[in-house]
Amino acid sequence: MRAFPGRRQRVHDDESARTGPVGKGEALADWADGRVGLFKMAKANLRKVFPDHWSFLIGEIALYTFIIIILTGVYLTLFFDPSMNEVVYHGRYVPLQGIRMSAAYESTLDISFDLRGGLLLRQIHHWAAILFIASMLVHMMRTFFNGVFRKPREFNWMSGAGLLILGMFDGFLGYSLPDDLLSGTGLRFMEGAILSVPIVGTYLSFFLFGGQFPGDIIIPRLFTVHILLIPGIMLGLLALHMMLLVYHKHTHHPGPGKKNMNIVGPPLWPVYVAKSGGFFFLVFAITTLMSGIATVNPIWAYGPYRPDMVSTDAQPDWYMGFSEGLIRLMPGWEINLWGHTLVLGIFIPLMVFPMVLLVIWLYPFLEAWITGDRREHHLNERPRNAPTRTAFGAAWIALYLVLLIGGGNDLVATHFHLSINAITWAGRIAFFVAPVVVFAITKRVCLGLQRRDRDKVLHGRETGVIQRLPHGEYMEVHEPLTQGERYTLTSFDQYQPLELPPAVDEAGVERKLTFTERLRVRLSRAYFGENGQIAKPTREEFERQHHP
């Protein structure tokens, strides 16, 4: 009699079928599988399909550089002293011997010149951080232009954007830790931005620095946030990002056999794992090669930080350059209000700084509100087939580049022998004009590409062969597209613009439309109206063209 009559005992056919001796490793694996179901879980997940396209490698570069950052950061943490206690340097770097500096700066010099391989690891850590932010930004824009953010991947989009923003701030904190003259100038920049906040700016600065700038606790605080708080949040977001990726499956580009509800590509094991593993070592090797031949952040050339000094050509890492550009392009406006001085020349850029990031981060929710589309999307869109979205993304990139150039206006002036005032005024004008011009040009280009695709589907591909007809007319011979090529050019949805409801309802009562309803209809017409997209050819048009 069984102890639980209503329950069947599980019988492992594999164990009962074994006739030979079982090794210790296999026995341990069987024991673990009987308790957590490792074999069943692995069998279900290792056969998952991943599309094979070069653009998906951008996200892998971001993942692998993040792993490199963690590995090298853990090693550097063992030798870095996050202290602002004043010491006298007696290390191996002769030009700085006898100079007073903080213990943080001294330990960074010791890592660079006294620790075997320390300088190379510092370089790898810094270059990996730069590549991480760059690959995250490119991956985010690839996701944006392909429309991958649509349902059901909104949380994935938000987690990826959160990783990018946290990575930018963690990078800023990271290169502030050595307490050299360049990083100290960056902290002074941050302190000035905080002080510009009305009413609470002074209190926030005192809370952050523990008193007057620079104080003696800012480096230990930044160290804790840099190695524990932000990386912990980023690991959580990365885990969420990867779990959602596995749960929702990967998107794939349009093509023969690729539909909205299927995935075409090699399985995770063994094909994708082998390729991905090799790619990881390739990324690690290229990062190490860059670190070995290209110096980044040579703190020994800047010297220790002193509040009364500012290094020449002081520039942040590229991903924070747009914040510097906002400050440099903004006029130095100040107003006195109720006995208080408001430094608008810094406060306004401080407010615009998060808006530059949020406008691209929150755009997918605007598009979802305009379209009202609640379907699931697993097939990528070609950028040309979403002209307004593509133009918006290109305009955002143009704005980012303008601010990036503005953040280095002094370097542009010295390298190209130009007036820094002229560069600054050009940047101010381009801040408003460049996004509009780029938006208009990009949208026109997308509409032109859509029109060309439509002509190719209806008339075929141009061959360059000119043929003379019996009545003397010359015409170019067109080669018909294959069925797969026609499918690739037409396998996308086109939304129809929304229309306002009748002015009166069925009972003859005048409708009261809200401002948001009217705005949604206007945006829908701008997105999907006559000037927003080129209608793709219908089946009737194709048959009429080929079977008149």
Side-chain angles (χ1 to χ4, degrees), residues 261-423:
M261 300 308 295
N262 72 339
I263 301 295
V264 178
L268 176 63
W269 180 267
V271 179
Y272 197 80
V273 170
K275 295 171 65 175
S276 186
F279 189 59
F280 167 74
F281 290 107
L282 180 62
V283 172
F284 208 145
I286 293 177
T287 306
T288 305
L289 180 63
M290 294 172 58
S291 305
I293 63 177
T295 302
V296 61
N297 196 26
I299 60 163
W300 54 88
Y302 308 137
Y305 178 65
R306 286 178 48 181
D308 60 335
M309 297 180 64
V310 176
S311 61
T312 58
D313 293 341
Q315 306 287 332
D317 276 344
W318 72 270
Y319 46 85
M320 296 299 290
F322 80 98
S323 61
E324 181 94 6
L326 285 168
I327 295 291
R328 296 192 183 191
L329 296 181
M330 180 69 191
W333 294 343
E334 291 184 2
I335 61 174
N336 293 318
L337 187 64
W338 299 314
H340 297 276
T341 300
L342 298 181
V343 187
L344 299 181
I346 300 178
F347 179 66
I348 291 179
L350 181 63
M351 295 295 100
V352 176
F353 168 75
M355 293 173 58
V356 173
L357 300 174
L358 289 176
V359 71
I360 195 72
W361 189 10
L362 300 180
Y363 172 86
F365 301 97
L366 172 65
E367 183 174 308
W369 175 68
I370 295 173
T371 61
D373 189 359
R374 294 180 174 83
R375 298 170 300 169
E376 289 193 2
H377 297 274
H378 303 282
L379 194 65
N380 292 336
E381 274 191 313
R382 302 170 76 202
R384 67 184 64 181
N385 293 331
T388 305
R389 179 205 303 153
T390 302
F392 185 91
W396 185 86
I397 294 175
L399 176 64
Y400 192 94
L401 292 177
V402 167
L403 295 177
L404 197 61
I405 295 173
N409 57 357
D410 53 343
L411 295 179
V412 176
T414 55
H415 282 68
F416 294 96
H417 308 288
L418 300 173
S419 169
I420 191 171
N421 293 326
I423 296 172

Side-chain angles (χ1 to χ4, degrees), residues 470-545:
H471 59 276
E473 179 185 359
Y474 289 91
M475 64 174 296
E476 184 178 11
V477 178
H478 286 69
E479 179 185 356
L481 300 182
T482 64
Q483 185 176 359
E485 291 173 332
R486 290 198 300 269
Y487 177 81
T488 302
L489 296 180
T490 57
S491 60
F492 65 96
D493 296 326
Q494 283 193 322
Y495 299 98
Q496 296 301 318
L498 300 177
E499 298 291 341
L500 287 173
V504 295
D505 59 14
E506 295 80 358
V509 180
E510 182 180 359
R511 297 181 187 270
K512 294 183 179 180
L513 298 177
T514 63
F515 171 76
T516 56
E517 291 174 334
R518 296 180 182 274
L519 178 62
R520 184 186 177 194
V521 171
R522 290 182 179 179
L523 290 175
S524 177
R525 290 175 179 174
Y527 267 66
F528 313 114
E530 182 179 357
N531 297 323
Q533 61 184 359
I534 303 299
K536 65 180 182 180
T538 62
R539 180 185 297 273
E540 292 74 14
E541 290 176 326
F542 179 80
E543 292 179 351
R544 186 165 53 250
Q545 181 69 30

